[in-house]
Amino acid sequence: MAAWIKLNEKVRAKRTKKDPPKDHRRRPKGEELTVQRLSAEVAGKAQKYTRVGPREFVPFDEDEEMTIGNIKSACERYFLTKIGKNLVCDVLAGEQGPSCNTVSQIPDLKVVYVRFIPTDSDGGDGDTTSMIRKRKINVDTQSSMSTDFLPPQPKTRSSPSKLMQPKQQLPACTSTYFPRSLSISDMLKLGKINNETATKIVKIFKFDMERLSWSKVATTVEFYEERGPIGTGGFRKAFKATSKHAEFIATTWVIKCYLPDALKCIAETGQTVEQHNRKVVQMHLLSRNFASQLEAEVKTNGANDLFGTAFRYRKIFHGETEDKEYVTVEEFIPGVFTKYINNNGSTCVDRTNVMARRRSV
């Protein structure tokens, strides 16, 4: 029984045993360093140092201390036949830099990234010149191995980070404001809250003569309506209005509303106000179509002098206000309006009038 207890304790100790932290910067085994040589300058959109040749084993005496200076000296001796003289080694943390001053800054000693730059080059990595120990390689003892290769001086200063160009500042746009001339009474009115709005919101519905159908999607338009009507008939009352809407800003409009007595007459016919209002718009557009055909025929036959000016009907729309009131929105025709004949056929002007005499004929 005691043996089982001891075995259980050994298994528990083995399971709970924690491995010591791994040192990624440990010195590689053997007497060599795995070195990847990189270009002297960064290139490309990613601003990376490009690889120059494959990885190589660089001899490193295991009795020497693992320092940045000893790594640079070993690499300079090994690559002397390839790089020539007047170049010094710079140890990098990776393919995007930066330069390392101590061994602790190297992420992993399994592969050491180095580049070779002239002794008078700053390399673009901050104070790389101060970080690189400027030392000349003793080539007297190895003159037979050296070459006369001297790389050209870098034309531009490189950096592993992207060079950011300052953005051009656009000139500030100043808005132009034309002040309105206000009277004393207008200024006093601005000191009070105006709860009375002079606008009317109307949902506009259009009738398509090509398809002979109504639009289901309404266009909401805000009209600036005058307080007093410009005219009142036996059926409707007309108000002059304007709008800043893109489709209605070009001209002045007339909003016609039904009188209370007219609503009763419409109800007696067995139809709703909306149906009656839509029929008014449809009949107006039918008359407009006849007038347009007549005008085109007169121009085609060259009978302008004989026939005279043809009738022309303006635009008209079916509308619904916020108060669920059905109205028509029509183009305003400037001028003096005179009604010569009533709906029952009797004249509305004096019988001596020329138009009244034509009616009697």
Side-chain angles (χ1 to χ4, degrees):
M1 188 66 181
W4 284 104
I5 294 176
K6 291 182 180 180
L7 179 61
N8 191 15
E9 291 178 354
K10 289 182 180 180
V11 173
R12 186 185 298 109
K14 185 176 181 180
R15 289 178 178 176
T16 58
K17 182 180 179 181
K18 295 183 179 180
D19 296 333
K22 296 181 180 180
D23 185 9
H24 295 285
R25 295 184 300 271
R26 65 184 183 276
R27 177 171 177 171
K29 297 180 180 180
E31 299 180 356
E32 295 175 333
L33 294 175
T34 304
V35 177
Q36 174 63 63
R37 182 185 170 192
L38 302 177
S39 60
E41 300 178 7
V42 293
K45 186 177 181 180
Q47 294 291 288
K48 297 173 61 177
Y49 295 97
T50 57
R51 298 183 181 183
V52 180
R55 297 178 181 178
E56 300 186 37
F57 291 110
V58 176
F60 190 86
D61 192 355
E62 61 181 1
D63 295 333
E64 293 184 3
E65 184 181 359
M66 184 63 66
T67 61
I68 289 291
N70 292 336
I71 294 175
K72 292 179 179 179
S73 299
C75 293
E76 289 171 354
R77 289 194 300 267
Y78 179 80
F79 289 101
L80 179 63
T81 58
K82 299 180 180 180
I83 63 175
K85 52 187 177 180
N86 297 329
L87 294 179
V88 292
C89 178
D90 182 22
V91 180
L92 302 174
E95 294 183 356
Q96 289 184 309
S99 300
C100 299
N101 294 327
T102 60
V103 179
S104 60
Q105 294 177 344
I106 302 177
D108 197 342
L109 286 174
K110 290 182 179 180
V111 180
V112 180
Y113 296 92
V114 299
R115 64 169 181 162
F116 295 94
I117 58 176
T119 55
D120 57 348
S121 173
D122 58 0
D125 292 329
D127 297 331
T128 309
T129 306
S130 61
M131 293 188 294
I132 299 177
R133 296 186 308 170
K134 294 185 178 180
R135 57 196 180 279
K136 293 186 178 180
I137 304 174
N138 186 9
V139 296
D140 295 337
T141 58
Q142 305 179 18
S143 58
S144 60
M145 301 172 59
S146 63
T147 61
D148 294 334
F149 172 77
L150 182 62
Q153 294 290 337
K155 296 181 180 179
T156 58
R157 180 176 178 177
S158 61
S159 174
S161 60
K162 294 183 179 180
L163 300 178
M164 302 298 294
Q165 296 181 356
K167 296 182 179 180
Q168 296 181 354
Q169 295 183 353
L170 299 177
C173 298
T174 57
S175 60
T176 304
Y177 174 73
F178 298 97
R180 177 186 173 185
S181 179
L182 298 175
S183 62
I184 300 298
S185 59
D186 292 336
M187 296 181 186
L188 294 176
K189 290 179 181 179
L190 292 176
K192 300 179 182 180
I193 299 177
N194 183 14
N195 295 323
E196 297 182 2
T197 176
T199 61
K200 176 177 286 189
I201 306 298
V202 182
K203 293 182 180 179
I204 300 295
F205 294 88
K206 301 177 183 179
F207 185 80
D208 190 352
M209 287 295 294
E210 296 292 334
R211 297 181 174 85
L212 299 179
S213 61
W214 283 95
S215 61
K216 294 184 178 180
V217 180
T219 303
T220 303
V221 182
E222 181 180 14
F223 289 97
Y224 296 87
E225 187 181 64
E226 294 184 357
R227 295 186 180 276
I230 59 174
T232 303
F235 217 66
R236 292 185 294 179
K237 185 185 297 184
F239 294 86
K240 192 176 180 181
T242 57
S243 177
K244 291 185 178 180
H245 193 275
E247 297 183 20
F248 296 85
I249 195 174
T251 185
T252 305
W253 300 89
V254 176
I255 301 177
K256 293 183 179 180
C257 309
Y258 290 97
L259 297 175
D261 294 339
L263 298 178
K264 296 179 182 179
C265 295
I266 294 174
E268 292 176 357
T269 60
Q271 58 182 343
T272 63
V273 180
E274 181 182 5
Q275 292 174 344
H276 177 81
N277 199 61
R278 288 179 182 268
K279 188 167 65 174
V280 169
V281 175
Q282 291 177 188
M283 297 306 296
H284 180 96
L285 294 177
L286 178 61
S287 302
R288 185 186 184 192
N289 189 70
F290 284 147
S292 299
Q293 290 178 344
L294 177 61
E295 183 180 9
E297 186 177 354
V298 170
K299 290 182 179 180
T300 303
N301 298 331
N304 293 331
D305 297 336
L306 180 63
F307 186 84
T309 304
F311 291 104
R312 181 175 298 176
Y313 286 78
R314 302 296 181 96
K315 294 181 180 179
I316 185 173
F317 302 99
H318 164 68
E320 180 182 353
T321 65
E322 293 179 307
D323 301 330
K324 301 299 181 181
E325 181 183 7
Y326 296 101
V327 298
T328 58
V329 180
E330 309 173 21
E331 282 189 84
F332 174 75
I333 302 176
V336 180
F337 174 75
T338 303
K339 190 172 184 179
Y340 293 97
I341 187 171
N342 208 339
N343 295 336
N344 55 11
S346 59
T347 57
C348 301
V349 294
D350 189 82
R351 292 186 177 275
T352 59
N353 189 283
V354 177
M355 296 299 296
R357 290 201 300 269
R358 290 183 179 180
R359 169 66 183 87
S360 60
V361 175

